[in-house]
């Protein structure tokens, strides 16, 4: 999944892109969520020549895929506070900019055909301002796709809590959620996205949800996430070093079925400028079939 350092000051963001665990976290997020993201964008109609803004780009996978779809006649503007992991994608079709979506105006004046953010706004302090900035950056008829987690909707690490390993995993997941909440993360943000998109003035708003129940990528993401926040958990008194070491050892066995929070994907279109364009848009709306289990082949 695309991940970022989106807090306006950078202070308080737990998943620091500069740390060594970030690379493997990006790989796991991409494996878990890229198929769903790409399915949504494909069905929104991405085509050669489109101008796209990837907000909080983090890793390179989504930016590279978008650049391939828009081709030499299109452009992908990839922004993040930390651009170190996406800088290598810069080229004819890709422009990389250091940008704070919670504070800065849209890059290059807006006019985007597509704006996409994944696992970004849930961490941004001024989420309302950031979402408004993204919506305002669309050209008339342009599309906004926002994908964010909703940890409060499904709070368990192990859905099947049948032993001490699963109990420990769920207890540590609760501790991580507490730590995130203390840093200003809205643990119920994903479910709000359809309403929030409508409130920005977008039309044809729809949404669906997806979460993996278990996979090797889930295990990798969990292990690297726990390593990233180990010191914070211990300092806050939310876990002991023994708890964390035991959990990492349990993950390494491959016998703990770890799930993730549901990813809510919500999308909408900026209304056309003229009545004629509005009628044309209504005649051929963009619609997706809701799915809770998108496959990589979709």
């Amino acid at each position: 999944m695309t991940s970022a350092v989106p807090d306006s000051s950078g202070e308080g963001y737990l998943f620091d892109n500069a740390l060594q665990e970030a690379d493997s976290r990006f790989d796991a997020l991409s494996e878990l969520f890229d198929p769903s993201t790409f399915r949504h964008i494909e069905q929104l109609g991405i085509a050669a020549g489109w101008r796209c803004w990837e907000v909080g780009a983090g890793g390179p996978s989504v930016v590279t895929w978008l650049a391939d779809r828009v081709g030499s006649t299109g452009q992908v503007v990839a922004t993040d506070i930390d651009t170190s992991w996406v800088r290598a994608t810069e080229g004819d079709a890709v422009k990389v900019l250091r940008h704070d979506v919670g504070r800065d105006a849209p890059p290059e004046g807006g006019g985007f055909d597509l704006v996409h953010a994944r696992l970004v706004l849930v961490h941004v302090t001024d989420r309302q301002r950031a979402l408004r900035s993204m919506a305002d950056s669309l050209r008339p008829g342009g599309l906004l796709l926002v994908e964010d987690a909703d940890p409060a909707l499904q709070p368990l690490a192990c859905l099947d809590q049948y032993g001490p390993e699963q109990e420990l995993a769920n207890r540590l997941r609760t501790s991580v959620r507490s730590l995130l909440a203390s840093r200003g993360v809205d643990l119920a943000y994903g479910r709000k996205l359809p309403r929030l998109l409508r409130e920005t003035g977008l039309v044809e708003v729809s949404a669906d949800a997806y979460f993996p129940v278990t996979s090797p990528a889930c295990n990798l993401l969990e292990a690297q996430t726990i390593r990233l926040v180990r010191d914070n958990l211990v300092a806050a008194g939310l876990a002991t070093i023994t708890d964390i070491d035991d959990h990492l050892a349990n993950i390494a066995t491959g016998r703990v079925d770890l799930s993730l929070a549901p990813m809510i994907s919500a999308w909408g279109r900026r209304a056309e400028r003229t009545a004629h364009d509005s009628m044309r848009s209504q005649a051929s709306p963009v619609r997706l079939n809701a799915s809770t289990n998108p496959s990589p082949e979709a």
Side-chain angles (χ1 to χ4, degrees):
M1 170 186 331
T2 306
S3 184
V5 186
D7 185 271
S8 293
S9 65
E11 183 179 349
Y13 183 63
L14 288 172
F15 308 133
D16 188 352
N17 289 2
L19 299 177
Q20 62 181 0
E21 292 85 359
D23 192 15
S24 55
R25 286 190 81 250
F26 287 147
D27 289 342
L29 288 166
S30 296
E31 181 177 340
L32 289 164
F33 294 112
D34 278 359
S36 177
T37 293
F38 298 163
R39 174 180 65 90
H40 284 98
I41 297 175
E42 287 278 17
Q43 294 188 44
L44 287 173
I46 190 169
W50 275 30
R51 187 164 183 262
C52 305
W53 177 17
E54 179 64 18
V55 181
S61 65
V62 176
V63 175
T64 301
W65 185 89
L66 288 172
D68 181 66
R69 292 306 186 276
V70 303
S72 60
T73 59
Q75 183 185 47
V76 179
V77 180
T79 66
D80 204 329
I81 290 177
D82 179 357
T83 61
S84 57
W85 294 99
V86 75
R87 181 62 65 183
T89 65
E90 193 160 29
D92 293 340
V94 177
K95 185 170 186 177
V96 177
L97 299 173
R98 189 182 186 282
H99 179 273
D100 185 338
V101 69
R103 290 183 175 179
D104 300 335
E108 302 178 349
F112 293 100
D113 298 285
L114 172 71
V115 176
H116 172 248
R118 189 174 72 189
L119 286 180
V120 174
L121 295 188
V122 69
H123 296 283
V124 173
T125 302
D126 195 345
R127 286 178 279 271
Q128 182 177 356
R129 176 176 178 175
L131 187 60
R132 170 63 65 182
S133 175
M134 292 161 62
D136 288 347
S137 76
L138 295 169
R139 65 163 181 80
L143 295 153
L144 174 61
L145 171 62
V146 181
E147 303 181 290
D148 253 310
D150 195 313
L153 191 61
Q154 194 295 99
L156 298 177
C158 292
L159 302 177
D160 182 17
Q161 183 176 298
Y162 63 89
E165 295 88 354
Q166 291 74 28
E167 182 181 355
L168 175 59
N170 284 340
R171 180 157 54 84
L172 286 178
R173 180 66 59 87
T174 298
S175 296
V176 173
R177 290 175 63 234
S178 297
L179 198 59
L180 288 168
S182 73
R183 304 297 180 96
V185 172
D186 184 348
L187 298 173
Y189 188 67
R191 72 191 71 178
K192 303 173 185 176
L193 286 172
R195 169 175 58 83
L196 295 175
L197 292 190
R198 286 194 300 271
E199 289 177 356
T200 66
L202 299 187
V203 298
E204 300 173 22
V205 172
S206 297
D208 64 16
Y210 164 69
F211 74 98
V213 173
T214 187
S215 76
C218 286
N219 293 351
L220 175 60
L221 183 61
E222 173 77 2
Q224 295 299 70
T225 298
I226 290 296
R227 291 186 180 104
L228 276 173
V229 302
R230 172 200 293 266
D231 293 343
N232 300 97
L233 288 171
V234 173
L238 294 169
T240 67
I241 293 175
T242 299
D243 289 336
I244 292 169
D245 288 344
D246 287 349
H247 181 49
L248 292 173
N250 293 337
I251 294 171
T253 69
R255 297 192 300 269
V256 181
D257 294 320
L258 294 165
S259 67
L260 300 180
M263 177 77 72
I264 310 295
S265 300
W267 58 92
R269 183 189 297 276
R270 182 173 179 177
E272 303 284 353
R273 266 196 192 121
T274 67
H276 171 74
D277 288 337
S278 295
M279 291 175 63
R280 182 181 63 187
S281 177
Q282 292 169 14
S284 56
V286 175
R287 302 187 187 281
L288 301 184
N289 293 324
S291 170
T292 57
N293 187 25
S295 67
E297 293 79 20

